[in-house]
Amino acid sequence: MIRVTVSYPPHEAYQFNHAYYQSTHAQLIRDKLTAHGLLKLEVDQTLADRSAKLPASVAAAHLFFNDIDSFKAAMAAEGKALGEDRENYTDIIPVVVMSQVIE
């Protein structure tokens, strides 16, 4: 199984609508990618620590697929629609990391 993490590293004066991301965008991910092999979706909202520094990310989505080929096929089919929705919740350019799930 693989996990694809899409995280949002903030910049000065960033905008991020957590309510939209957690409800509307997360549902869009499920609606678009389940038929293409999405097994599970987890959505995180970063908790602030007590420092004055920006966090490493403000939110993340973790998408689980059986393999990389399934993920690539899902994004080839639906990635454009998911990417176009980004303007509705943030101005941050996301970072994508693919991992092999060990346990």
Side-chain angles (χ1 to χ4, degrees), residues 39-52:
L39 302 172
K40 180 172 130 178
L41 172 67
E42 296 177 349
V43 176
D44 298 341
Q45 180 175 344
T46 304
L47 299 175
D49 64 14
R50 294 183 181 165
S51 74

Side-chain angles (χ1 to χ4, degrees), residues 3-9 16 21 25 29 41-44 57 59-63 71 75 86 89 93-98:
R3 176 181 51 236
V4 178
T5 299
V6 181
S7 63
Y8 295 85
F16 199 96
Y21 184 68
H25 189 71
I29 293 170
L41 172 67
E42 296 177 349
V43 176
D44 298 341
S57 73
H62 309 281
L63 297 82
F71 169 69
M75 293 310 291
R86 183 173 58 89
Y89 62 89
I93 303 297
V95 174
V96 178
V97 176
M98 289 185 264

